[in-house]
Every structure is written in structure tokens, then in C-alpha cells.
Amino acid sequence: MSELIFKDKVAVVTGASRGIGRAIALELVQGGAKVAFNYLKSDCEARTLLAEIEKLGAHGLSFKGDTRDFDLAKEFIDQVKEYFGSLDFLVNNAGITRDKAFMLMDKNEWAEVIDTNVNGYFNMARAVIVTLLKQKSGAIVNISSISGISGIARQVNYSTSKAAIIGMTKSLAKEVAPYNIRVNCVAPGFIDTDMTKSMKEDVRQKSADAIPFGRFGSVEDVAKAVSFLLSERSGYITGQVIKVDGGLHMSY
Ligand code: NAP
């Protein structure tokens, strides 16, 4: 039985029907948190996650809603506060890729990624921040990517969005630190999820070969770093970017 480091805490995780978000939700529940999550269209997967949360003896809340919609983000957070009576953590995780050679990238492929990965994070952070400021406590973790630090060919849209999130994290961290609120980033490398499943086998092998650990990471590897950054164990850490990448990118 793991230690209940999040007992009585309420966490919001975006994009938790699948992949990294799902693992984060379960990790926080195992730490004793009440977890609310949203997703875009995977109803069946969301129902399964909610059932799993309840099977662990915890309370969960599932919300079908697009993080790109400012009003819907606010509606989600209003529901969370009404259902659980409080709010402590936000994990901005819902993200997409639309990889393509830059010379072929159309404006929709650019806009969709920026809208989801940047505006969606803004909408959610904006929806929670007044509550956290008033209570003078809380923490936000934004999921960025190694792509936003070192750049990856055919990901100009995605790298731009993930670099933006690092700037957002640092500025917001400085702004809200006087209110005892911490804001940090986790930057995963290559992680085994639906997002990386579509990679061609030779590209996948080449990517794995470039990782000092020689393999892709698991969703649990990322979830554990998020849990650390939300917990009091990182109580003096803010504005940081923790890479969870098997050593892929070692400079600072
Ligand atoms: P994933 O398996 O594709 O899952 C994405 C999740 O986000 C799904 O739950 C999806 O909901 C949700 N979502 C997408 N757009 C949304 C929107 N507009 N509103 C609400 N929910 C939305 O992705 P992942 O690999 O777990 O990635 C999670 C995060 O980690 C992303 O920010 C990604 O950029 C980042 N990351 C991933 C990797 C990697 O190697 N996998 C590496 C670095 C960073 P539906 O199921 O309903 O579509």
C-alpha cells in the first residue's frame, strides 16, 4: 500500500482517457487524491478509467469537454469545485501532434496543435488560478516535451507549442510564487502511448537507439515525476522543467 501523500487533495488531470494522463490520474488516486479528468471523444475509455478509480475506493469525476473551449474549461472546473468542494492541483496534459514536413504543413495543422497544446493549457490554468490564489496553496504541472527543448524535425508546430509551455510555466511560476503556488513542467522524451504508436518501425528503432537507456519510457515513468512535483516533497521547487527521457537530452 503506497503512502497517502495526497489525502483529501483534489486534482484535475486533462486528457486522461488514454496514455500519460490516464497513468497520472491513477498514480494520484493511489496517493489518496480525488481526481477529476476530462477528455475529447473516448467515452468508453473514460468510463473504464472512472470504474478503475472507483475500484480503488476513490472518488472520481469524468468530464467530456474540449480544453480548447475557454467557457467549457471554466464549466469543468466549476463542476469539480461543486462536486468535491475544493481544488488543489491541475495537470495540463491533453495534447496532440500533427507531424509533417514544414514545407507541406497547412495552417490548420499549425493552428490545431497550437490551439490544443497552448490555448488549452491557458484555458485550464486560467480556470483554476483564482481559486488557488484565494486559498494561497496549490500546484500546477504542465506536460511539455523534449521536442520543445531540442526541436524535432517534422514537428515545428508541436515543438513550438511545447516550448511555449515552458515559457508559460516559468512566467506563471514567478507570478504566483508569492501566493504559495508552484508551477512546474515535465518534459517527456519518447513514451509508449498511442501518440508514438504510429511511428514507423525504423524511425522508432533509431529513436530508441539514441536514448541512453535504449528504450522508450512508460506512462508510469512520467506519472511518478508529476506526482513528485505536485507533492510536498518538491515544496521548494518551482518554475522547473524535469525531463523524463531516459537521458535523451542531458544539457541544462
Ligand atoms: P495520447 O495517448 O494521444 O492521449 C491524449 C489524451 O488527450 C487523450 O485522453 C485525449 O482524449 C486527450 N485530448 C486531446 N485533445 C484534447 C482536447 N482538445 N480536449 C480534451 N482532451 C483532449 O497522448 P499521450 O502520448 O498520452 O500524451 C499526453 C501528453 O504528453 C501530451 O501533452 C503530449 O504532447 C505529451 N508528450 C507525450 C510524449 C509521448 O512520447 N507519448 C512525449 C512527450 C510529451 P481522447 O481520448 O478523447 O481523444
Side-chain angles (χ1 to χ4, degrees):
M1 186 79 181
S2 56
E3 201 189 330
L4 297 183
I5 54 174
F6 299 123
K7 191 170 180 299
D8 298 328
K9 299 290 185 189
V10 175
V12 171
V13 183
T14 68
S17 48
R18 298 180 283 119
I20 293 170
R22 177 186 157 77
I24 294 169
L26 289 171
E27 179 75 23
L28 300 183
V29 162
Q30 273 151 3
K34 299 165 192 165
V35 171
F37 67 90
N38 74 351
Y39 65 100
L40 192 59
K41 47 187 188 297
S42 302
D43 298 318
C44 182
E45 288 83 350
R47 270 197 302 276
T48 307
L49 175 61
L50 193 59
E52 222 167 302
I53 290 172
E54 284 163 0
K55 217 170 122 192
L56 288 165
H59 293 289
L61 177 71
S62 168
F63 184 91
K64 182 174 187 172
D66 192 333
T67 54
R68 290 172 292 184
D69 184 326
F70 183 84
D71 294 330
L72 213 48
K74 186 180 176 309
E75 194 182 313
F76 175 34
I77 295 306
D78 286 345
Q79 271 197 26
V80 174
K81 289 192 289 185
E82 198 180 313
Y83 188 74
F84 290 121
S86 59
L87 172 62
D88 301 284
F89 306 134
L90 168 67
V91 182
N92 259 326
N93 166 78
I96 58 166
T97 49
R98 295 288 181 266
D99 297 356
K100 196 173 265 185
F102 186 64
M103 62 178 280
L104 299 174
M105 191 175 286
D106 66 34
K107 73 178 193 183
N108 289 337
E109 286 154 346
W110 172 267
E112 212 184 334
V113 170
I114 300 297
D115 207 10
T116 305
N117 298 4
V118 181
N119 298 341
Y121 280 35
F122 164 77
N123 293 339
M124 291 302 303
R126 183 65 185 78
V128 303
I129 202 68
V130 174
T131 302
L132 304 190
L133 287 169
K134 278 187 184 158
Q135 71 196 21
K136 290 197 168 59
S137 70
I140 297 175
V141 172
N142 292 320
I143 306 299
S144 176
S145 168
I146 286 297
S147 181
I149 297 171
S150 54
I152 292 182
R154 298 174 57 86
Q155 284 200 330
V156 174
N157 48 359
Y158 183 75
S159 299
T160 302
S161 73
K162 293 301 183 179
I165 288 314
I166 294 174
M168 175 195 176
T169 299
K170 293 183 176 183
S171 288
L172 188 58
K174 285 187 176 169
E175 193 169 319
V176 299
Y179 298 86
N180 189 36
I181 300 162
R182 299 181 301 105
V183 189
N184 288 290
C185 247
V186 168
F190 292 105
I191 307 297
D192 267 321
T193 69
D194 291 345
M195 195 176 265
T196 47
K197 237 179 227 158
S198 58
M199 289 170 86
K200 286 188 193 134
E201 194 42 47
D202 58 324
V203 178
R204 196 185 164 81
Q205 193 53 53
K206 232 171 113 186
S207 306
D209 291 345
I211 303 169
F213 274 154
R215 61 168 177 85
F216 279 24
S218 70
V219 289
E220 289 78 17
D221 290 328
V222 181
K224 287 192 178 94
V226 172
S227 168
F228 168 69
L229 286 173
L230 291 177
S231 78
E232 270 312 306
R233 289 171 183 164
S234 62
Y236 198 54
I237 297 178
T238 198
Q240 299 306 304
V241 183
I242 294 196
K243 304 179 194 98
V244 181
D245 66 349
L248 179 63
H249 186 281
M250 287 208 194
S251 64
Y252 63 92

